Amino acid sequence: MPKKSPNFSTIQLNPETSTITYFFHDDSRLLVELASGNPLFTRHLSNRRKDSNSHAARFKKDLISTELFNNRLYMKLKGGVAYEHMLDEIPVDKRLPASIIESIKKSGENNGENECQIFVGHLFPNHYKISIDKASYSLVQPHPEQPTFRAKVEFEVKNNLFIASLWSTEHPMDMNSRLALVNDAVQGWLDVMAFSSGFFYFASISAAISIDNEILFEYPNIKTTKDETDQWLSDYKFFINPMKNDKSWYIGYAIRDMKLAALYPRDIGFYCRRALESLTHHIGFIKNLQSANAKKRRWEELVGVIDMDDDTFTEIKSIGGDERHGDNKGTSTEQQRRFITQTRGAIINYIIWLN
């Protein structure tokens, strides 16, 4: 059984130096390097000197390693003792050191950019540490009714912690769209690394911070009641039942493409179209419309089941068809939201029809 939890008052992550600082209630602190998990030094904040009797100093003597993985903090101590904390279960100061903020501001001024938000997160899996020097991704998105949207994402990775800055022209863009844009930019670079190395990483954003170092958004630790958990299990069984039938992999393809559409919003038309097309093959199997000449009939049968808006359905088929052939003209944030919402609804309606 683990000992009583360490007496933290708060902890602070520093993506720039890849360190974590434990602050204790007696005003002492312990700095730990995440790359090695080794404690570096302790300091008593009140007198700025080492204190062998402080909580931090006593904790340092027993601490063997510290690891951050999947929003959980793991600590191993002497005697086989281990602690595990969700980062949202203990106070975490996710604001960034002033030096990072000033560096980002200076970079934006040099580039003539105006609006900025900062995003911090982690790369998974955590078994292999990687670092990426400053990389950038630029986006120019024409809009028929508004000024052209321009954005630039700059980021760097140190030992699987990343910090990204999103500079953009003034444009009505909600937080979910910004998160998708930054995640898409970082993930794009990781995919290039995976292509060359054969090992895949995934980016996970944990917080968004303003240029004034105020927390704008952070993923919560979801706590559920028993009734909510029971409802989720009921929903899961409802969706999983069709996966037990013949040709069920077509439904699996459609659901997987929804995940890919969320991960890669630049290609959302392609993934939404392919999800719908997978359903046409499934309904073709059910209604014995599997021949090459029955393609049009399969689409007609699907449309009669999924109850999708005609204009959105036509857009997805057209834009997704172009993207499938390598011609990606881009989609607006409004189109992205509409495509993924209605395609998800179409899959749900199809599963309801099957059940």
Side-chain angles (χ1 to χ4, degrees):
M1 294 294 292
K3 292 182 179 179
K4 183 180 177 182
S5 180
N7 196 22
F8 303 138
S9 62
T10 186
I11 65 174
Q12 185 176 46
L13 302 174
N14 187 336
E16 185 180 47
T17 58
S18 188
T19 56
I20 183 169
T21 303
Y22 301 94
F23 293 88
F24 293 83
H25 287 293
D26 67 343
D27 210 22
S28 62
R29 66 180 178 178
L30 172 64
L31 182 71
V32 175
E33 184 181 50
L34 282 172
S36 63
N38 296 327
L40 300 180
F41 65 81
T42 62
R43 180 172 290 168
H44 203 282
L45 297 178
S46 60
N47 54 22
R48 315 300 288 180
R49 64 179 176 79
K50 292 182 179 179
D51 185 346
S52 59
N53 293 320
S54 68
H55 291 167
R58 294 201 299 269
F59 185 61
K60 179 184 176 184
K61 291 179 181 178
D62 293 331
L63 182 64
I64 297 175
S65 67
T66 294
E67 184 177 5
L68 187 64
F69 177 67
N70 199 20
N71 210 37
R72 292 178 183 267
L73 184 66
Y74 297 92
M75 292 163 283
K76 292 182 181 179
L77 284 79
K78 294 176 181 176
V81 177
Y83 298 117
E84 176 185 333
H85 287 284
M86 287 294 294
L87 289 187
D88 296 302
E89 294 175 350
I90 51 179
V92 180
D93 187 354
K94 292 183 178 176
R95 291 176 300 174
L96 296 170
S99 59
I100 296 181
I101 296 292
E102 290 304 315
S103 174
I104 292 174
K105 282 183 179 179
K106 186 175 181 180
S107 174
E109 291 169 358
N110 292 340
N111 294 329
E113 309 287 354
N114 44 20
E115 186 181 347
C116 178
Q117 288 180 346
I118 304 164
F119 299 82
V120 295
H122 312 90
L123 303 187
F124 303 113
N126 204 46
H127 310 304
Y128 302 97
K129 306 291 184 183
I130 64 169
S131 296
I132 301 175
D133 292 333
K134 185 170 288 187
S136 64
Y137 163 77
S138 296
L139 173 69
V140 179
Q141 190 178 83
H143 194 282
E145 300 174 359
Q146 299 175 3
T148 297
F149 173 65
R150 301 177 186 276
K152 183 177 183 179
V153 178
E154 293 184 335
F155 71 95
E156 56 185 316
V157 180
K158 291 191 176 180
N159 295 310
N160 289 30
L161 296 176
F162 73 84
I163 176 169
S165 56
L166 169 61
W167 293 94
S168 63
T169 55
E170 293 183 6
H171 190 75
M173 193 179 191
D174 61 24
M175 181 57 71
N176 286 334
S177 299
R178 294 176 186 273
L179 287 165
L181 178 59
V182 172
N183 193 82
D184 197 19
V186 177
Q187 191 65 53
W189 275 80
L190 296 177
D191 290 347
V192 173
M193 291 184 62
F195 185 77
S196 61
S197 68
F199 192 86
F200 284 83
Y201 286 89
F202 295 92
S204 176
I205 297 172
S206 58
I209 303 170
S210 74
I211 197 67
D212 298 317
N213 215 4
E214 296 298 324
I215 302 294
L216 301 174
F217 170 91
E218 55 185 316
Y219 281 106
N221 176 28
I222 300 174
K223 297 181 175 67
T224 61
T225 64
K226 183 180 184 302
D227 289 343
E228 288 172 326
T229 302
D230 289 344
Q231 181 61 49
W232 287 357
L233 288 173
S234 175
D235 291 344
Y236 168 77
K237 291 175 182 176
F238 174 79
F239 285 110
I240 209 67
N241 281 337
M243 303 298 290
K244 302 174 183 177
N245 301 327
D246 289 339
K247 306 291 183 180
S248 61
W249 60 78
Y250 286 125
I251 301 173
Y253 290 157
I255 290 173
R256 184 180 63 183
D257 276 334
M258 287 293 90
K259 177 191 73 174
L260 294 171
L263 281 173
Y264 302 100
R266 275 180 292 177
D267 304 318
I268 201 165
F270 167 73
Y271 290 119
C272 288
R273 180 195 165 102
R274 193 169 68 174
L276 295 174
E277 201 156 8
S278 293
L279 298 185
T280 69
H281 287 288
H282 192 268
I283 202 170
F285 168 75
I286 292 174
K287 293 183 175 287
N288 196 25
L289 298 170
Q290 297 173 276
S291 69
N293 296 330
K295 180 177 180 180
K296 184 178 179 182
R297 284 283 311 280
R298 291 196 295 269
W299 277 109
E300 291 171 348
E301 292 289 340
L302 181 67
V303 168
V305 169
I306 59 177
D307 190 28
M308 177 181 274
D309 173 71
D310 290 341
D311 291 340
T312 299
F313 178 77
T314 302
E315 277 186 277
I316 289 175
K317 284 195 69 178
S318 175
I319 293 174
D322 290 341
E323 292 179 2
R324 182 175 62 176
H325 296 294
D327 185 14
N328 191 330
K329 296 182 175 67
T331 48
S332 69
T333 54
E334 183 276 330
Q335 284 176 308
Q336 291 171 5
R337 186 183 301 107
R338 184 158 43 86
F339 285 8
I340 199 168
T341 301
Q342 293 206 25
T343 305
R344 181 178 182 272
I347 295 172
I348 291 173
N349 288 338
Y350 185 76
I351 292 174
I352 291 173
W353 177 75
L354 285 176
N355 279 318

